[in-house]
Amino acid sequence: MHPVRKKRIIAISSIVVILGLALALVMYALQQNINLFYSPTQIVNGEAPKDVMLRAGGMVVEGSVKRDNETLSVSFEVTDFTETVRIEYKGILPDLFREGQGIVAQGKLNANGTMIASEVLAKHDEEYMSPEIAEALKQSELNSTSSNTSY
Amino acid sequence: MSWTWFHKLGSPKWFFQFASRWSLGVFLSGVVLLLIGLVWGLAFAPEDYQQGNSFRIIYIHVPAAILAQSCYLGLGVAGFVFLVWQMKMAPIFIKSVAPLGALVALIALVSGAIWGKPTWGTWWVWDARLTSVLVLFLLYMGVIAIQNSLEDKILADKAVAVIGVVGLINLPIIKYSVEWWNTLHQPATFKLTEKPAMPMEMWLPLLISSLGLYLFIAGLAMLRMQTEVLNRERRSSWVKEEVLKNGI
């Protein structure tokens, strides 16, 4: 290969590598700001500041959703399977909100470590299936658990 | 290994003749595949058990997002080739593909926002995936703006090549943003190493519309590059002959 071209390849590659490293360091330093939400573990460990707008995310705990009969108030717990955080919200929840679903809530933590949310967003995963398959899976799960319990 | 294909690809005349033979066919087969994939996906594929019919926008969103990244990868490689080997075709490629890439990136962003509103409950959040794709779109806009605003064409070619190469850093960030950070966006639908987490009647139309969009954009890119070749080589004898023989 021509020496001039070789020199150019080395120069360009090193520029890209150095810029990439610089950017990687910046992103590493700002990791907490790039993360969209705090996990329940971080909140329980006190890593999240109180009385500041922030987001908390996790899975809605089965059976933890309590709805107020008179108003739109709703309260539920989210978990990352290590710790749980209670979230209180007043408003209309997204269609995908349900128990066992990942959600991200924006709001402020109060002194008790409960989040007073002003916005609740639903996450979904990259698994898609048709209602029939989902139904069949549920059935087979039910069957296997009932057959297990019958022993 | 023979490098003749590499040198041939660098010759505007050879590329023009190659593209005149193939561009229309590639474009039309892209249109056909895209139509099959979209009609199949939007009308006949089963709906999602959680999201219902709003999940169908995946058949527009995912192909556009894949293409937005692929076009930029091409831009970056062409930029590198131009900076090292000064190949004439590389800046022609960059100039022709940048607006197409910007278009698919915009489609990915808009369709994602439309999908996000009913499923997540919001049009936009500043999470790592959404933001890095917005940066990708802005990089395309930067390439287009610089290419068109610099009077000195040689300087413009060099400048966009540099942006193309440097912007490559953004691609792994887009790809791994959903794994490195907490994001609202879900992980990738198509992975190279695993089967997609959906049944075949869902991913097959998605694959077809993705391939269709690839061919569609490739065909458009070749047509645009042909025009650009004629424009840049207008003083050479073969272009004069070509125009006299076949018209414009």
Side-chain angles (χ1 to χ4, degrees):
Chain A
M1 194 180 280
H2 199 283
V4 174
R5 286 174 192 155
K6 207 169 188 175
K7 226 162 118 185
R8 280 198 209 122
I9 292 183
I10 294 169
I12 296 166
S13 317
S14 42
I15 288 172
V16 170
V17 168
I18 290 169
L19 279 177
L21 272 178
L23 201 61
L25 286 174
V26 169
M27 288 192 300
Y28 182 73
L30 295 177
Q31 193 169 31
Q32 197 48 66
N33 300 56
I34 301 175
N35 277 332
L36 188 69
F37 52 83
Y38 287 94
S39 68
T41 309
Q42 286 173 309
I43 292 172
V44 170
N45 292 344
E47 282 173 45
K50 299 254 149 75
D51 285 324
V52 176
M53 269 307 227
L54 53 84
R55 290 196 185 91
M59 206 78 109
V60 180
V61 179
E62 301 268 353
S64 71
V65 181
K66 292 192 193 91
R67 286 174 205 271
D68 192 282
N69 288 335
E70 307 281 301
T71 64
L72 284 174
S73 295
V74 58
S75 140
F76 54 91
E77 283 174 354
V78 293
T79 180
D80 57 359
F81 304 108
T82 322
E83 299 286 353
T84 60
V85 167
R86 178 152 286 279
I87 294 178
E88 281 168 19
Y89 176 66
K90 194 172 184 180
I92 296 168
L93 291 164
D95 290 351
L96 276 189
F97 180 92
R98 58 199 72 174
E99 292 176 357
Q101 184 81 27
I103 62 107
V104 175
Q106 186 174 34
K108 290 179 182 174
L109 289 173
N110 67 11
N112 309 328
T114 304
M115 175 177 248
I116 311 301
S118 54
E119 184 185 43
V120 174
L121 304 178
K123 260 171 86 80
H124 65 86
D125 57 21
E126 76 283 19
E127 287 180 34
Y128 307 95
M129 54 179 122
S130 55
E132 298 84 35
I133 297 178
E135 190 57 36
L137 272 181
K138 217 170 160 188
Q139 277 302 320
S140 67
E141 240 170 61
L142 278 179
N143 287 345
S144 63
T145 46
S146 60
S147 58
N148 282 346
T149 47
S150 64
Y151 277 104
Chain B
M1 192 177 142
S2 158
W3 284 90
T4 41
W5 62 270
F6 194 63
H7 294 293
K8 267 187 187 166
L9 212 62
S11 145
K13 184 184 176 187
W14 185 87
F15 177 84
F16 184 85
Q17 286 162 351
F18 170 80
S20 347
R21 232 172 297 136
W22 290 97
S23 54
L24 201 62
V26 170
F27 174 73
L28 289 178
S29 50
V31 170
V32 170
L33 277 185
L34 203 53
L35 279 177
I36 295 173
L38 285 182
V39 169
W40 187 354
L42 295 181
F44 299 106
E47 57 177 36
D48 182 56
Y49 72 118
Q50 279 193 324
Q51 299 176 33
N53 281 319
S54 60
F55 135 91
R56 291 183 196 280
I57 203 165
I58 197 174
Y59 296 107
I60 295 165
H61 179 72
V62 167
I66 292 176
L67 253 292
Q69 294 170 73
S70 302
C71 285
Y72 203 89
L73 184 63
L75 230 67
V77 171
F80 187 78
V81 166
F82 182 62
L83 291 176
V84 176
W85 287 278
Q86 316 266 292
M87 221 179 226
K88 271 185 182 174
M89 284 309 297
I92 296 177
F93 176 85
I94 295 177
K95 192 178 177 188
S96 311
V97 169
L100 299 172
L103 179 70
V104 282
L106 187 66
I107 292 174
L109 285 170
V110 170
S111 63
I114 294 171
W115 194 5
K117 186 63 188 168
T119 48
W120 298 338
T122 180
W123 300 101
W124 183 265
V125 281
W126 291 99
D127 89 343
R129 171 58 74 81
L130 277 63
T131 309
S132 56
V133 175
L134 181 66
V135 169
L136 180 73
F137 175 68
L138 293 177
L139 279 170
Y140 277 125
M141 295 317 269
V143 168
I144 297 170
I146 284 175
Q147 182 90 61
N148 289 305
S149 62
L150 285 181
E151 281 294 321
D152 182 346
K153 293 301 164 206
I154 299 163
L155 185 66
D157 285 348
K158 264 191 199 152
V160 294
V162 170
I163 303 179
V165 173
V166 171
L168 281 181
I169 299 172
N170 193 29
L171 291 182
I173 297 179
I174 294 177
K175 173 115 182 60
Y176 293 105
S177 54
V178 288
E179 291 169 29
W180 290 341
W181 299 291
N182 294 335
T183 56
L184 189 62
H185 195 284
Q186 66 283 5
T189 310
F190 277 139
K191 296 185 191 93
L192 285 179
T193 47
E194 291 168 43
K195 272 185 63 162
M198 53 171 119
M200 194 187 72
E201 54 266 39
M202 278 181 174
W203 64 253
L204 196 59
L206 187 51
L207 190 67
I208 292 174
S209 56
S210 302
L211 285 178
L213 193 60
Y214 257 109
L215 292 176
F216 181 83
I217 295 289
L220 278 183
M222 282 203 265
L223 286 168
R224 286 178 59 85
M225 283 169 79
Q226 278 179 282
T227 317
E228 189 62 25
V229 166
L230 286 186
N231 192 14
R232 289 193 183 204
E233 302 286 312
R234 60 184 177 274
R235 288 193 184 80
S236 69
S237 55
W238 73 266
V239 171
K240 281 176 191 158
E241 249 172 59
E242 178 72 39
V243 171
L244 284 177
K245 204 167 63 184
N246 298 333
I248 307 166

